[in-house]
Amino acid sequence: QVQLVESGGGLVQPGGSLRLSCAAAGSIFSINAMGWNRQAPGKQRELVAAITRAGSTKYADSVKGRFTISRDNAKNTVYLQMNSLKPEDTAVYYCNAWRGPVVVTTGDYWGQGTQVTVSS
């Protein structure tokens, strides 16, 4: 089993920045990729970004050029640096972990979620 604990959400003005962190504990050896998806009210859950143990990354088109995902394997932690935030980025962000080689919208494990609100 894998436990994921997120931190770093909050309220930010449009154009601002936030950094999310996700620490993994438990059966870390079973994880290939970690990342984030998000869900806004009335919308489907969307994969935001993911990174494999080898460092390959995947981003949603809507965040490319604004968000950067990184991974510290020694700390079993993934970070999501979010810049140039827009009101449409407002959502609950969930950290996910995938065991297999294919990253889909929802992982095999996920955290409790952290709220990100972009508003003036």
Side-chain angles (χ1 to χ4, degrees):
Q1 194 69 308
V2 173
Q3 297 82 43
L4 302 172
V5 179
E6 303 112 331
S7 61
L11 172 65
V12 65
Q13 292 186 341
S17 298
L18 280 176
R19 189 175 85 152
L20 305 182
S21 299
C22 174
S27 302
I28 308 300
F29 62 90
S30 68
I31 297 173
N32 170 50
M34 292 179 66
W36 303 84
N37 61 22
R38 66 186 180 186
Q39 186 153 27
K43 294 186 178 181
Q44 288 189 330
R45 192 162 294 199
E46 173 188 31
L47 177 67
V48 176
I51 185 167
T52 68
R53 187 177 292 276
S56 297
T57 57
K58 181 177 183 177
Y59 292 95
D61 288 342
S62 58
V63 306
K64 283 181 181 176
R66 299 189 298 122
F67 291 11
T68 302
I69 190 167
S70 59
R71 180 171 181 163
D72 186 335
N73 287 334
K75 296 182 178 179
N76 299 318
T77 300
V78 172
Y79 305 96
L80 185 66
Q81 179 67 42
M82 304 185 293
N83 298 328
S84 303
L85 283 160
K86 303 176 181 179
E88 50 263 44
D89 294 317
T90 296
V92 178
Y93 284 68
Y94 297 90
C95 180
N96 281 243
W98 292 263
R99 293 194 303 260
V102 179
V103 173
V104 294
T105 300
T106 301
D108 299 290
Y109 308 98
W110 53 89
Q112 79 282 0
T114 185
Q115 177 71 45
V116 171
T117 302
V118 185
S119 175
S120 55

Tab-separated table of all heavy atoms in Angstrom, residues 91-114:
chain	number	residue	atom	x	y	z
A	91	ALA	N	-9.421	24.386	-8.656
A	91	ALA	CA	-9.866	22.998	-8.559
A	91	ALA	C	-9.289	22.379	-7.292
A	91	ALA	O	-8.433	22.987	-6.629
A	91	ALA	CB	-9.400	22.189	-9.771
A	92	VAL	N	-9.753	21.187	-6.997
A	92	VAL	CA	-9.076	20.372	-5.989
A	92	VAL	C	-8.027	19.550	-6.722
A	92	VAL	O	-8.341	18.868	-7.703
A	92	VAL	CB	-10.061	19.448	-5.244
A	92	VAL	CG1	-9.301	18.573	-4.241
A	92	VAL	CG2	-11.122	20.271	-4.532
A	93	TYR	N	-6.803	19.632	-6.255
A	93	TYR	CA	-5.693	18.926	-6.881
A	93	TYR	C	-5.364	17.680	-6.040
A	93	TYR	O	-5.183	17.772	-4.821
A	93	TYR	CB	-4.463	19.841	-6.966
A	93	TYR	CG	-4.580	20.868	-8.060
A	93	TYR	CD1	-5.510	21.904	-7.969
A	93	TYR	CD2	-3.778	20.810	-9.195
A	93	TYR	CE1	-5.635	22.838	-8.976
A	93	TYR	CE2	-3.884	21.747	-10.204
A	93	TYR	CZ	-4.824	22.761	-10.093
A	93	TYR	OH	-4.938	23.697	-11.105
A	94	TYR	N	-5.283	16.545	-6.718
A	94	TYR	CA	-5.018	15.276	-6.055
A	94	TYR	C	-3.678	14.721	-6.530
A	94	TYR	O	-3.424	14.629	-7.742
A	94	TYR	CB	-6.100	14.252	-6.391
A	94	TYR	CG	-7.483	14.633	-5.920
A	94	TYR	CD1	-8.348	15.359	-6.733
A	94	TYR	CD2	-7.930	14.245	-4.656
A	94	TYR	CE1	-9.618	15.699	-6.306
A	94	TYR	CE2	-9.205	14.582	-4.215
A	94	TYR	CZ	-10.042	15.302	-5.050
A	94	TYR	OH	-11.298	15.648	-4.616
A	95	CYS	N	-2.852	14.345	-5.582
A	95	CYS	CA	-1.635	13.625	-5.919
A	95	CYS	C	-1.993	12.181	-6.223
A	95	CYS	O	-2.832	11.583	-5.537
A	95	CYS	CB	-0.655	13.691	-4.758
A	95	CYS	SG	0.907	12.837	-5.062
A	96	ASN	N	-1.377	11.630	-7.280
A	96	ASN	CA	-1.628	10.253	-7.684
A	96	ASN	C	-0.308	9.503	-7.866
A	96	ASN	O	0.730	10.120	-8.148
A	96	ASN	CB	-2.366	10.212	-9.024
A	96	ASN	CG	-3.848	10.481	-8.904
A	96	ASN	OD1	-4.673	9.627	-9.208
A	96	ASN	ND2	-4.187	11.683	-8.462
A	97	ALA	N	-0.379	8.194	-7.732
A	97	ALA	CA	0.763	7.338	-8.010
A	97	ALA	C	0.299	6.180	-8.884
A	97	ALA	O	-0.780	5.612	-8.651
A	97	ALA	CB	1.377	6.817	-6.718
A	98	TRP	N	1.135	5.856	-9.879
A	98	TRP	CA	0.804	4.775	-10.817
A	98	TRP	C	1.837	3.675	-10.693
A	98	TRP	O	3.050	3.951	-10.651
A	98	TRP	CB	0.820	5.296	-12.251
A	98	TRP	CG	-0.264	6.262	-12.583
A	98	TRP	CD1	-1.453	5.990	-13.197
A	98	TRP	CD2	-0.274	7.680	-12.364
A	98	TRP	NE1	-2.187	7.144	-13.366
A	98	TRP	CE2	-1.487	8.192	-12.868
A	98	TRP	CE3	0.637	8.573	-11.796
A	98	TRP	CZ2	-1.830	9.545	-12.810
A	98	TRP	CZ3	0.308	9.916	-11.730
A	98	TRP	CH2	-0.911	10.397	-12.238
A	99	ARG	N	1.374	2.429	-10.700
A	99	ARG	CA	2.304	1.294	-10.645
A	99	ARG	C	2.815	0.926	-12.030
A	99	ARG	O	3.982	0.592	-12.208
A	99	ARG	CB	1.624	0.079	-10.017
A	99	ARG	CG	1.274	0.226	-8.549
A	99	ARG	CD	0.938	-1.141	-7.960
A	99	ARG	NE	-0.155	-1.772	-8.690
A	99	ARG	CZ	-1.413	-1.790	-8.293
A	99	ARG	NH1	-1.755	-1.188	-7.167
A	99	ARG	NH2	-2.336	-2.394	-9.004
A	100	GLY	N	1.934	0.983	-13.022
A	100	GLY	CA	2.285	0.507	-14.352
A	100	GLY	C	2.977	1.559	-15.198
A	100	GLY	O	3.157	2.701	-14.783
A	101	PRO	N	3.327	1.184	-16.442
A	101	PRO	CA	4.052	2.102	-17.330
A	101	PRO	C	3.171	3.150	-18.010
A	101	PRO	O	3.689	4.101	-18.581
A	101	PRO	CB	4.654	1.150	-18.372
A	101	PRO	CG	3.690	0.009	-18.421
A	101	PRO	CD	3.195	-0.160	-16.999
A	102	VAL	N	1.869	2.968	-17.969
A	102	VAL	CA	0.964	3.888	-18.653
A	102	VAL	C	0.282	4.795	-17.628
A	102	VAL	O	-0.347	4.314	-16.689
A	102	VAL	CB	-0.098	3.125	-19.468
A	102	VAL	CG1	-1.040	4.110	-20.155
A	102	VAL	CG2	0.573	2.223	-20.501
A	103	VAL	N	0.405	6.091	-17.844
A	103	VAL	CA	-0.216	7.068	-16.947
A	103	VAL	C	-1.573	7.456	-17.517
A	103	VAL	O	-1.657	8.023	-18.603
A	103	VAL	CB	0.676	8.309	-16.800
A	103	VAL	CG1	-0.053	9.391	-16.006
A	103	VAL	CG2	1.985	7.940	-16.114
A	104	VAL	N	-2.620	7.162	-16.788
A	104	VAL	CA	-3.973	7.554	-17.180
A	104	VAL	C	-4.467	8.589	-16.176
A	104	VAL	O	-3.740	8.998	-15.280
A	104	VAL	CB	-4.904	6.323	-17.242
A	104	VAL	CG1	-4.468	5.398	-18.361
A	104	VAL	CG2	-4.905	5.574	-15.907
A	105	THR	N	-5.689	9.029	-16.342
A	105	THR	CA	-6.187	10.150	-15.545
A	105	THR	C	-6.062	9.893	-14.045
A	105	THR	O	-5.608	10.758	-13.291
A	105	THR	CB	-7.632	10.460	-15.902
A	105	THR	OG1	-7.702	10.800	-17.290
A	105	THR	CG2	-8.161	11.633	-15.078
A	106	THR	N	-6.473	8.724	-13.599
A	106	THR	CA	-6.463	8.415	-12.172
A	106	THR	C	-5.470	7.282	-11.899
A	106	THR	O	-5.467	6.281	-12.607
A	106	THR	CB	-7.864	8.004	-11.687
A	106	THR	OG1	-8.768	9.094	-11.949
A	106	THR	CG2	-7.862	7.728	-10.195
A	107	GLY	N	-4.673	7.468	-10.848
A	107	GLY	CA	-3.652	6.485	-10.524
A	107	GLY	C	-4.183	5.320	-9.697
A	107	GLY	O	-5.376	5.198	-9.443
A	108	ASP	N	-3.241	4.487	-9.286
A	108	ASP	CA	-3.592	3.362	-8.433
A	108	ASP	C	-3.756	3.812	-6.975
A	108	ASP	O	-4.430	3.129	-6.189
A	108	ASP	CB	-2.512	2.290	-8.520
A	108	ASP	CG	-2.357	1.746	-9.918
A	108	ASP	OD1	-3.294	1.042	-10.366
A	108	ASP	OD2	-1.337	2.037	-10.576
A	109	TYR	N	-3.149	4.915	-6.632
A	109	TYR	CA	-3.257	5.495	-5.290
A	109	TYR	C	-3.435	6.999	-5.451
A	109	TYR	O	-2.952	7.591	-6.420
A	109	TYR	CB	-1.996	5.218	-4.463
A	109	TYR	CG	-1.587	3.763	-4.416
A	109	TYR	CD1	-0.601	3.280	-5.263
A	109	TYR	CD2	-2.193	2.880	-3.526
A	109	TYR	CE1	-0.212	1.940	-5.230
A	109	TYR	CE2	-1.816	1.542	-3.480
A	109	TYR	CZ	-0.832	1.081	-4.337
A	109	TYR	OH	-0.466	-0.234	-4.300
A	110	TRP	N	-4.115	7.605	-4.495
A	110	TRP	CA	-4.277	9.063	-4.513
A	110	TRP	C	-4.395	9.608	-3.115
A	110	TRP	O	-4.742	8.898	-2.165
A	110	TRP	CB	-5.469	9.477	-5.377
A	110	TRP	CG	-6.748	8.790	-5.025
A	110	TRP	CD1	-7.683	9.190	-4.110
A	110	TRP	CD2	-7.229	7.562	-5.592
A	110	TRP	NE1	-8.707	8.279	-4.080
A	110	TRP	CE2	-8.469	7.279	-4.979
A	110	TRP	CE3	-6.740	6.690	-6.555
A	110	TRP	CZ2	-9.212	6.152	-5.296
A	110	TRP	CZ3	-7.483	5.559	-6.872
A	110	TRP	CH2	-8.701	5.311	-6.252
A	111	GLY	N	-4.099	10.915	-2.997
A	111	GLY	CA	-4.156	11.567	-1.698
A	111	GLY	C	-5.517	12.173	-1.423
A	111	GLY	O	-6.471	11.955	-2.169
A	112	GLN	N	-5.583	12.939	-0.365
A	112	GLN	CA	-6.871	13.497	0.077
A	112	GLN	C	-7.260	14.754	-0.697
A	112	GLN	O	-8.413	15.182	-0.640
A	112	GLN	CB	-6.815	13.820	1.585
A	112	GLN	CG	-6.113	15.110	1.948
A	112	GLN	CD	-4.599	15.006	1.905
A	112	GLN	OE1	-4.028	13.955	1.600
A	112	GLN	NE2	-3.931	16.109	2.221
A	113	GLY	N	-6.320	15.333	-1.423
A	113	GLY	CA	-6.618	16.512	-2.222
A	113	GLY	C	-6.303	17.808	-1.500
A	113	GLY	O	-6.377	17.884	-0.266
A	114	THR	N	-5.943	18.817	-2.280
A	114	THR	CA	-5.695	20.142	-1.735
A	114	THR	C	-6.347	21.177	-2.657
A	114	THR	O	-6.258	21.078	-3.880
A	114	THR	CB	-4.188	20.406	-1.564
A	114	THR	OG1	-3.973	21.665	-0.918
A	114	THR	CG2	-3.451	20.419	-2.901
